[in-house]
C-alpha cells in the first residue's frame, strides 16, 4: 500500500473481559452515572417499541457466553440520531452482551427503525446494524438484522436482494414473537457452520 | 441530527488479523467459514455513527488511579500516563471521539467475576477508563501498568502486559477495538493473540512507546499510543 497513507491500527480481540470496560453491569461491577447500554428508548419515544433478543452460537453449536454487541439503527422516521444523549427519548446507538447469566441472551429495548434510503435512491428495508466482539473474534463481525414481518420491503431491499443464496438471506431475518404484550424479535447469530450468519465488509 | 460521512478507505483485511487464526485456539470455532459479503456501496447505515459529545462523564473517568475508590486509596503498581492522538489514515486528527480502555491490575488480575487467577485483586483498582479526544485528537488516561497473566491456550501461554483500547471514530465504519502493548516487552513475540497478525509492521501499530518528555518527574512515567482509524474520503464523482 502507498506510503502516502498511514496504516490503520490493527484490530485485536476484545478478549474475555470486555465487559469490565464496555458493559460494566454485565461484569458485576459498579456502573458510572451515565453508561452506554441496552435501553435505546424511553417510554415516551415515538415509534413501535420493540425488544430484540438473541444468542450467539459458535461452530460447535454452543452458546457464546462472553460476547459484546453494538447496535446502530435509524429512528422510526429512518434518520440516524448521531447525537448520543441519554436525555433524549431515543438513541440510535446501543450496547448489549451475553454473559454466563440470564440464559446467555443479549437483548436491546428499542423502536422498530424506519426505512433508510440507499444511495441508488431506493429504500432499504428496516434493519439494525450489529457489530459482534468477543474472545476468539480477532476483528469484529458486522451484520444486519432485518424483520420477518417486512416481507415486501425485504424483497425490494437493495442490500438484502444482493444475497444470492435464499438460505443465507434468511440468516439476517429476525423472527417476531409476542409475549405478555411485548413485541419481540429473535435473532440468533451463528458465527460458523450450518446456518452461518452473513457478515459484511464495508 | 444525522452526520453523513463520505466513504472511508477500504479496510485492508490482510493487515488486520484473519478471523481464523488457529494458534489462537478460541478463534477456531468462532470464525466464519463463509466469505464476508462486501458492500460495494456503503449506505447511510454504515457511514454514520454516534457522537458522544453529550455523554456526561465523571471527573475521574479517565483517571484509573482515582476512579475506583474516588481517591480513598491508591492502587499498587507502576504509575503511568497513557496518552496519544487519534488520527485518520491521512493524518487528520479525530476530535471529540470516544476512547475507552480496560485492563488488569499490576498483578495481571481483572476485576471480573469470571477471572479466577490467583493473583489478588487490588482494593483500590477497577481497571476501566474513558474519555473524549480533545480538539486536536488527543486523549489521556492515568493508570498503573498492567501485569502479564497466564491463560489457557498453549500449555504455558502468557499475555504480554496490555491495555484494551476501544475507539469509535467518525462512523461505525471506523469502529475499532485493539490492544496496546508496551515497548520492549519480551512476551510480545511469544503471544498467540499478537501472532494472529501476519505482518510484523502491523504489530508495531499496537505498541505504546515510553515517552520520557511527557513523564512527570518523581510521579509517573508516560507511554504514547497513537491510534489510526480509517481515512475519510471525499466523493468527487458520485455518478459516472
Amino acid at each position: 500500500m502507498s506510503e502516502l497513507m498511514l496504516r490503520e491500527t490493527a484490530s485485536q480481540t476484545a478478549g474475555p473481559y470486555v465487559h469490565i470496560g464496555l458493559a460494566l453491569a454485565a461484569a458485576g461491577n459498579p456502573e458510572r452515572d451515565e453508561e452506554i447500554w441496552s435501553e435505546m428508548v424511553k417510554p415516551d419515544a415515538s415509534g413501535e417499541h420493540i425488544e430484540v433478543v438473541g444468542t450467539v452460537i459458535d461452530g460447535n453449536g454452543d452458546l457464546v457466553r462472553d460476547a459484546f454487541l453494538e447496535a446502530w439503527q435509524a429512528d422510526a422516521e429512518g434518520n440516524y440520531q448521531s447525537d448520543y444523549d441519554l436525555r433524549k427519548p431515543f438513541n440510535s446507538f446501543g450496547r448489549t452482551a451475553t454473559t454466563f447469566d440470564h440464559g446467555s441472551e443479549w437483548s436491546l429495548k428499542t423502536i422498530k427503525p424506519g426505512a433508510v434510503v440507499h444511495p441508488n435512491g431506493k429504500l432499504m428495508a428496516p434493519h439494525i446494524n450489529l457489530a459482534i466482539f468477543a474472545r476468539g473474534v480477532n476483528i469484529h463481525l458486522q451484520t444486519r438484522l432485518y424483520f420477518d414481518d417486512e416481507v415486501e420491503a425485504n424483497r425490494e431491499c437493495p442490500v438484502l436482494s444482493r444475497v444470492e443464496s435464499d438460505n443465507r438471506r434468511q440468516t439476517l431475518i429476525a423472527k417476531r414473537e409476542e409475549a405478555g404484550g411485548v413485541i419481540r424479535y429473535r435473532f440468533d447469530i451463528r458465527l460458523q457452520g450450518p446456518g452461518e450468519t452473513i457478515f459484511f465488509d464495508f | 441530527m444525522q452526520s453523513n460521512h463520505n466513504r472511508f478507505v477500504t479496510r485492508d483485511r490482510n493487515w488486520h488479523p484473519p478471523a481464523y487464526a488457529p494458534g489462537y485456539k478460541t478463534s477456531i470455532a468462532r470464525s466464519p467459514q463463509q466469505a464476508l459479503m462486501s458492500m460495494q456501496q456503503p449506505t447511510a447505515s454504515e457511514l454514520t455513527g454516534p457522537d458522544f459529545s453529550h455523554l456526561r462523564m465523571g471527573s475521574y473517568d479517565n483517571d484509573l488511579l482515582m476512579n475506583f475508590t474516588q481517591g480513598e486509596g491508591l492502587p499498587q503498581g507502576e504509575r503511568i500516563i497513557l496518552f496519544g492522538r487519534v488520527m485518520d489514515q491521512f493524518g487528520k486528527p479525530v476530535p471529540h471521539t470516544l476512547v475507552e480502555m480496560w485492563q488488569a491490575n499490576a498483578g495481571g488480575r481483572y476485576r471480573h467475576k469470571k477471572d479466577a487467577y490467583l493473583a489478588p485483586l487490588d482494593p483500590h483498582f477497577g481497571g476501566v477508563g474513558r474519555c473524549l479526544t480533545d480538539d486536536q485528537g488527543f486523549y489521556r488516561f492515568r493508570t498503573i501498568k498492567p501485569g502479564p497473566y497466564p491463560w489457557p491456550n498453549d500449555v504455558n501461554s502468557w499475555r504480554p502486559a496490555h491495555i484494551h483500547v476501544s475507539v469509535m471514530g467518525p462512523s461505525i465504519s471506523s469502529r475499532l477495538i485493539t490492544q496496546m502493548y508496551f515497548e520492549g516487552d519480551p512476551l510480545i513475540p511469544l503471544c498467540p493473540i499478537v501472532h494472529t497478525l501476519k505482518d510484523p509492521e502491523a504489530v508495531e501499530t499496537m505498541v505504546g512507546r515510553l515517552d520520557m518528555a511527557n513523564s512527570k518527574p518523581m510521579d509517573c512515567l508516560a507511554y504514547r499510543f497513537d491510534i489510526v482509524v480509517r481515512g475519510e474520503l471525499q466523493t468527487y464523482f458520485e455518478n459516472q
Side-chain angles (χ1 to χ4, degrees), chain A residues 2-40:
Chain A
S2 168
E3 298 282 326
L4 295 172
M5 201 166 61
L6 298 169
R7 305 299 298 259
E8 191 184 6
T9 302
S11 175
Q12 292 273 266
T13 177
Y17 307 122
V18 56
H19 304 90
I20 80 159
L22 305 182
L24 279 66
N29 288 347
E31 292 184 275
R32 297 160 293 201
D33 286 346
E34 290 205 346
E35 293 291 345
I36 306 163
W37 195 232
S38 59
E39 298 210 355
M40 299 162 71

Side-chain angles (χ1 to χ4, degrees), chain A residues 1 7 10 139 201, chain B residues 10-18 196-200 202:
Chain A
M1 188 177 285
R7 305 299 298 259
I139 181 164
D201 187 13
Chain B
T10 306
R11 196 160 245 161
D12 182 350
R13 289 184 177 270
N14 292 313
W15 172 260
H16 286 288
T196 60
L197 302 177
K198 295 173 196 149
D199 189 332

Side-chain angles (χ1 to χ4, degrees), chain B residues 6 18 20-21 33 49 53 68 91 93 98 122 124 132 151 169 174 194 218:
Chain B
N6 296 304
Y20 176 76
Q33 291 169 329
S53 300
F68 193 66
L98 182 65
D122 182 331
H124 301 138
L132 290 180
W151 59 298
S174 53
V194 174
M218 305 303 289

Side-chain angles (χ1 to χ4, degrees), chain A residues 6-201:
Chain A
L6 298 169
R7 305 299 298 259
E8 191 184 6
T9 302
S11 175
Q12 292 273 266
T13 177
Y17 307 122
V18 56
H19 304 90
I20 80 159
L22 305 182
L24 279 66
N29 288 347
E31 292 184 275
R32 297 160 293 201
D33 286 346
E34 290 205 346
E35 293 291 345
I36 306 163
W37 195 232
S38 59
E39 298 210 355
M40 299 162 71
V41 68
K42 289 196 176 129
D44 57 332
S46 60
E48 185 180 22
H49 290 234
I50 62 170
E51 267 181 42
V52 289
V53 302
T55 54
V56 182
I57 300 158
D58 73 10
N60 300 319
D62 292 322
L63 290 171
V64 173
R65 309 183 79 181
D66 51 13
F68 170 74
L69 287 83
E70 288 183 343
W72 178 243
Q73 65 161 90
D75 64 17
E77 283 75 49
N79 297 313
Y80 285 93
Q81 303 251 348
S82 294
D83 174 23
Y84 189 91
D85 190 334
L86 289 174
R87 289 159 288 194
K88 282 168 43 177
F90 172 75
N91 277 295
S92 280
F93 188 73
R95 288 174 164 177
T96 183
T98 68
T99 67
F100 285 76
D101 314 321
H102 310 306
S104 299
E105 283 190 349
W106 55 269
S107 75
L108 294 160
K109 286 193 171 65
T110 185
I111 53 171
K112 197 167 174 192
V116 173
V117 183
H118 188 273
N120 72 7
K122 293 183 179 159
L123 286 178
M124 293 188 281
H127 63 276
I128 300 176
N129 276 47
L130 292 173
I132 300 114
F133 302 82
R135 174 173 69 103
V137 175
N138 293 320
I139 181 164
H140 57 286
L141 297 165
Q142 301 167 143
T143 190
R144 280 186 174 197
L145 177 158
Y146 286 86
F147 300 88
D148 71 344
D149 53 354
E150 296 284 346
V151 177
E152 181 75 11
N154 287 346
R155 187 165 48 232
E156 300 296 321
C157 177
V159 173
L160 205 48
S161 62
R162 269 200 57 230
V163 181
E164 287 175 28
S165 159
D166 183 52
N167 285 334
R168 297 218 70 214
R169 201 180 310 130
Q170 294 306 318
T171 69
L172 299 183
I173 298 176
K175 306 279 186 295
R176 180 175 171 125
E177 28 180 83
E178 285 191 52
V182 175
I183 300 160
R184 186 177 293 142
Y185 291 88
R186 181 163 296 278
F187 188 69
D188 293 326
I189 297 161
R190 290 183 171 76
L191 300 181
Q192 183 189 88
E196 183 177 303
T197 301
I198 292 178
F199 299 108
F200 292 95
D201 187 13

